[in-house]
Amino acid sequence: MKKTTLGGISAILAGLCYLLTVILVLISPPGKNAVVDHVTHMYKLMLVHYILGFLGILGIMVVLTMSRTIEKQSALSEWYPYSKVMAIIGFALLAINNFRQTGLDHELSHEAMHAGGEVFNAVVIGWVGLVELSPQGWVDFGFVGIWILTVSVFSFHSNKLGSYLGLIGGSCLKNDEPAVSA
């Protein structure tokens, strides 16, 4: 098993990013709609987007490190290389989507509130499709979840507790609602 300092630091920082995101979303109670929420909780939700953007970058580093770590266990697998690419695509989209949203959400929500009326209603109705590149989270969260499940299966013999946590965590990384649109 090969370990790297950069990979370990990236994994710890990625975990902290997930935790901070959950805390920030929980202390930003949902309002009437995403447009109003992005005006009311602007700084908290902007911070969430920045954290998720950096999480995407750190996640790519974690995928590459974990791939080296479980190299022997996954050497004969036809599935693992596909799941690894899926995770890299998922984390890259997470970074792109959230760094893109740092400007888009702020401008779109404030302009819609200022315009009011039909413009406001149209933005509220189309919010997810306007700001999210993966509106249901299948690519950014789902692909990462599939990879976490795959790594958990391959590392089961060497780390049972970590594998169980990975199986639970990987199963949770698909949502039916956008991560930060509320």
Side-chain angles (χ1 to χ4, degrees), residues 83-146:
S83 71
K84 178 174 112 176
V85 171
M86 288 170 68
I88 291 171
I89 290 169
F91 277 123
L93 183 61
L94 184 67
I96 292 166
N97 194 31
N98 281 282
F99 284 133
R100 177 179 168 269
Q101 284 182 261
T102 58
L104 184 63
D105 285 4
H106 175 73
E107 287 180 34
L108 189 59
S109 61
H110 281 80
E111 290 296 324
M113 292 282 285
H114 179 71
E118 293 302 315
V119 172
F120 176 79
N121 291 337
V123 172
V124 168
I125 291 169
W127 180 263
V128 174
L130 293 171
V131 300
E132 293 280 341
L133 296 174
S134 174
Q136 296 300 316
W138 281 108
V139 178
D140 44 2
F141 290 101
F143 279 15
V144 171
I146 289 169

Side-chain angles (χ1 to χ4, degrees), residues 7-146:
I9 292 169
S10 298
I12 291 168
L13 291 174
L16 289 173
C17 285
Y18 274 120
L19 183 64
L20 281 172
T21 299
V22 169
I23 291 168
L24 285 169
V25 170
L26 288 176
I27 63 173
S28 304
K32 290 175 24 176
N33 58 57
V35 176
V36 173
D37 290 349
H38 276 80
V39 172
T40 306
H41 304 291
M42 179 180 66
Y43 296 111
K44 291 177 191 167
L45 293 176
M46 292 293 284
L47 183 58
V48 167
H49 287 308
Y50 278 112
I51 291 170
L52 287 173
F54 286 113
L55 171 60
I57 293 167
L58 292 167
I60 293 170
M61 296 166 69
V62 171
V63 170
L64 296 174
T65 299
M66 282 303 299
S67 296
R68 288 182 50 200
T69 303
I70 64 165
E71 201 169 35
K72 289 180 184 171
Q73 295 96 316
S74 64
L76 300 176
S77 171
E78 289 184 36
W79 171 250
Y80 185 74
Y82 297 118
S83 71
K84 178 174 112 176
V85 171
M86 288 170 68
I88 291 171
I89 290 169
F91 277 123
L93 183 61
L94 184 67
I96 292 166
N97 194 31
N98 281 282
F99 284 133
R100 177 179 168 269
Q101 284 182 261
T102 58
L104 184 63
D105 285 4
H106 175 73
E107 287 180 34
L108 189 59
S109 61
H110 281 80
E111 290 296 324
M113 292 282 285
H114 179 71
E118 293 302 315
V119 172
F120 176 79
N121 291 337
V123 172
V124 168
I125 291 169
W127 180 263
V128 174
L130 293 171
V131 300
E132 293 280 341
L133 296 174
S134 174
Q136 296 300 316
W138 281 108
V139 178
D140 44 2
F141 290 101
F143 279 15
V144 171
I146 289 169

Side-chain angles (χ1 to χ4, degrees), residues 138-168:
W138 281 108
V139 178
D140 44 2
F141 290 101
F143 279 15
V144 171
I146 289 169
W147 174 75
I148 291 172
L149 290 170
T150 303
V151 169
S152 298
V153 169
F154 280 112
S155 62
F156 189 76
H157 294 293
S158 61
N159 184 357
K160 289 195 185 337
L161 177 61
S163 291
Y164 285 126
L165 292 174
L167 290 170
I168 292 167

